[in-house]
Amino acid sequence: MPAMLVRNRASEIVRRHPRRGAPPRHAFYEPEVETMPRARLARLQLERLRRTLANAWRNVPALRARLHAAGYSPGAVASLADLAHLPFTHKDELREHYPFGLFARPRDRLLRLHASSGTTGKPTVVGYTRRDLATWSALMARTLYCAGVRPGDVVHNAYGYGLFTGGLGFHYGAERLGATVVPVSGGATERQVALLIDFGARALCATPSYALVIAETAERMGVDLRATNLQIGLFGAEPWSEQMRREIEARLGVAAIDNYGLSEIMGPGVAVECPQQDGLHAWEDHFLCEVIDPATGRAVADGEPGELVITTLTKEALPMIRYRTRDVTRAVRERCACGRTHLRLKRVAGRNDDMLIVRGINLFPSQIEALLVGVPGLAPHYQLVLERKGGLDELTVEVEPQPGLAASAVAALAETVRQRIHSRLGLRVEVRLLEPGGVPRSQGKAVRVRDLRPR
Ligand code: DLL
């Protein structure tokens, strides 16, 4: 590796030889932060945590009241371990204080609002100051770079534009990075395929379920996207399985990179895989992550599954203290081969409130997905239907054969799926085989479960 010219502490220009085996600097968007030694990162986090708490205490009466009730007073946090004494924030609190009650800045200092639809009741509204938007774009640029996107690349952004944070989050991140962004949003899939080819996109940003719809549409049009410039997929916003990753990679010819985020914390850009594809680096200079046992609220051991809890460290408008994401993951603190020091979160299997409990067996839809994708002759589309029959919960798995599959093979598919699920999960399910194309396709987050049980 060639020597680099760098400035030393006395501001003199000197020649420095990179450490043997160290990843090249161009592997990182912000090398200093991404490879920051853990002890320094912890000092930075503590300083920013104190600032976040001061912001909440001074500017959000509802948060001040809760912190006060928990015995916190300004200056009380002496170390990161003290975080464990602070109260959690739940999604309901955002709804209770709808729309702007948890904001730490007056409405006229906000440049943007986003909201998540919320299936019941009021939506959750989040807001950003000018600085928050700048922080977000910079983090999204770092996220895209970490996935392999480079300045000058064409980025095809099929995340939905609007109140959902996916579209605009990726949009401004790609611009900030110096890429050419194609703001297509979701839908009109045949046109998307044409634009992917005509504009020479190197990266595709979409939910994994929509990426699959794009792959399927291209195949139907007779287009082989594997033979185009497309190399990277940034897929997230919904749970997906490792099997689905391999399926999408094979059909689109991309490295499929998982990325995670949520509106309440910022939007996309909270955590992303590096090309190692072995866990998502959570950007710890902006977010403090804990993984807890949801029942006791106490931290689980590293590597154990639990609920992800996030404290924001740099947000001005909407500081979040110990936000209960309800997402189930595992934290890995061993150093990644890529050289980044930020902890890794294992693939999010789902939200703990999306967990299905069917006749005493707990499972996430993504666990069923992992068993369906790759079954010969079966298309990788599915929906789970929950019904109550005779007082018992019944799970029906709706799937479809690949187009053109011989009738004799179709007949055996349902039984194959039934047996596979029974042998791996110990669960007896009904399998309903629909016509090819019968499972609803998504343009954004896929609806995996239809719960028809009486409420
Ligand atoms: O989905 C933000 C986002 C946009 C992330 C684009 C990634 C890409 P919300 O609509 O608020 O924000 O939904 C957040 O989606 O709490 C998880 O349950 C789920 N989720 C997000 N990313 C992943 C992922 C955006 N990579 C909620 N794997 C989160 C599994 C994910 N679940």
Side-chain angles (χ1 to χ4, degrees):
M1 216 181 287
M4 295 178 300
L5 295 178
V6 294
R7 276 191 195 278
N8 65 14
R9 287 204 174 147
S11 268
E12 301 150 340
I13 292 184
V14 293
R15 193 176 288 278
R16 184 180 296 157
H17 292 272
R19 275 172 291 142
R20 200 197 296 268
R25 285 178 72 82
H26 62 249
F28 310 111
Y29 184 65
E30 295 169 277
E32 289 291 314
V33 220
E34 292 174 52
T35 63
M36 187 177 274
R38 295 288 321 172
R40 245 179 79 203
L41 193 53
R43 283 200 298 278
L44 180 69
Q45 287 186 315
L46 180 59
E47 181 194 314
R48 290 182 168 179
L49 173 63
R50 288 193 177 127
R51 239 185 281 156
T52 298
L53 288 166
N55 180 23
W57 181 267
R58 218 178 299 127
N59 301 313
V60 191
L63 280 182
R64 181 168 53 235
R66 276 201 305 108
L67 286 167
H68 182 71
Y72 167 88
S73 58
V77 166
S79 75
L80 288 177
D82 289 340
L83 185 69
H85 307 303
L86 300 180
F88 292 117
T89 304
H90 297 266
K91 192 182 179 87
D92 286 349
E93 283 158 62
L94 274 157
R95 296 217 178 92
E96 259 164 51
H97 297 279
Y98 176 85
F100 306 146
L102 289 187
F103 288 176
R105 292 290 181 278
R107 208 274 313 133
D108 62 4
R109 292 277 315 280
L110 306 182
L111 267 63
R112 174 117 52 91
L113 300 173
H114 279 284
S116 66
S117 54
T119 39
T120 52
K122 296 205 174 83
T124 7
V125 181
V126 298
Y128 306 77
T129 62
R130 185 180 301 281
R131 218 177 96 194
D132 289 334
L133 288 177
T135 308
W136 188 17
S137 320
L139 266 182
M140 282 308 299
R142 193 199 285 179
T143 296
L144 284 152
Y145 197 95
C146 182
V149 182
R150 293 293 176 268
D153 284 349
V154 174
V155 174
H156 182 104
N157 186 13
Y159 281 116
Y161 280 64
L163 288 175
F164 174 53
T165 50
L168 290 181
F170 272 87
H171 182 99
Y172 286 107
E175 285 191 354
R176 173 73 181 254
L177 178 63
T180 309
V181 57
V182 185
V184 295
S185 198
T189 312
E190 293 199 355
R191 191 183 59 162
Q192 303 239 3
V193 172
L195 294 182
L196 276 166
I197 301 168
D198 295 348
F199 296 170
R202 186 163 171 266
L204 164 66
C205 309
T207 58
S209 54
Y210 190 53
L212 199 59
V213 174
I214 294 178
E216 182 181 54
T217 307
E219 287 157 16
R220 213 176 36 237
M221 292 163 68
V223 170
D224 186 356
L225 285 175
R226 294 168 304 181
T228 67
N229 200 33
L230 196 59
Q231 289 169 17
I232 302 165
L234 279 117
F235 304 132
E238 64 184 5
W240 53 313
S241 59
E242 194 56 32
Q243 287 71 7
M244 186 64 94
R245 185 213 299 270
R246 299 299 161 216
E247 172 83 17
I248 297 174
E249 289 190 329
R251 291 173 68 172
L252 284 178
V254 296
I257 302 290
D258 193 3
N259 63 97
Y260 168 85
L262 62 167
S263 342
E264 296 87 334
I265 293 302
M266 186 176 73
V270 174
V272 63
E273 284 181 328
C274 62
Q276 303 287 328
Q277 295 180 315
D278 187 17
L280 294 80
H281 291 282
W283 299 129
E284 288 187 276
D285 49 331
H286 294 273
F287 311 108
L288 244 175
C289 297
E290 304 168 79
V291 179
I292 63 157
D293 175 340
T296 64
R298 277 199 287 277
V300 299
D302 280 349
E304 292 297 316
E307 178 181 342
L308 178 64
V309 171
I310 304 180
T311 301
T312 61
L313 295 174
T314 49
K315 289 262 296 291
E316 285 186 336
L318 189 55
M320 276 290 166
I321 294 161
R322 305 194 81 202
Y323 184 71
R324 300 277 300 251
T325 66
R326 298 179 292 178
D327 290 322
V328 179
T329 184
R330 292 180 286 133
V332 176
R333 285 174 205 274
E334 284 128 46
R335 184 77 170 265
C336 179
C338 75
R340 287 179 184 79
T341 48
H342 296 228
L343 73 76
R344 279 169 291 159
L345 301 173
K346 287 298 196 177
R347 174 186 284 290
V348 170
R351 289 194 177 192
N352 48 28
D353 40 2
D354 287 342
M355 184 181 269
L356 308 176
I357 306 177
V358 188
R359 278 178 266 124
I361 296 176
N362 297 11
L363 61 118
F364 283 114
S366 58
Q367 285 173 275
I368 302 244
E369 173 182 299
L371 299 177
L372 300 175
V373 178
V375 170
L378 194 70
H381 304 281
Y382 67 99
Q383 214 169 40
L384 309 180
V385 185
L386 271 172
E387 285 161 296
R388 185 153 306 147
K389 288 184 185 161
L392 283 181
D393 285 346
E394 295 262 330
L395 181 63
T396 303
V397 180
E398 290 186 343
V399 283
E400 56 180 68
Q402 278 168 3
L405 190 72
S408 54
V410 171
L413 263 184
E415 189 50 32
T416 308
V417 170
R418 216 179 343 258
Q419 277 179 14
R420 215 171 143 84
I421 294 175
H422 185 238
S423 72
R424 304 286 176 88
L425 298 175
L427 184 67
R428 287 191 195 284
V429 297
E430 282 296 312
V431 176
R432 196 175 297 141
L433 208 56
L434 309 181
E435 293 294 308
V439 175
R441 305 295 196 255
S442 87
Q443 296 180 0
K445 295 181 191 246
V447 178
R448 297 302 191 192
V449 180
R450 291 202 325 269
D451 191 345
L452 306 180
R453 291 172 301 182
R455 297 201 177 260

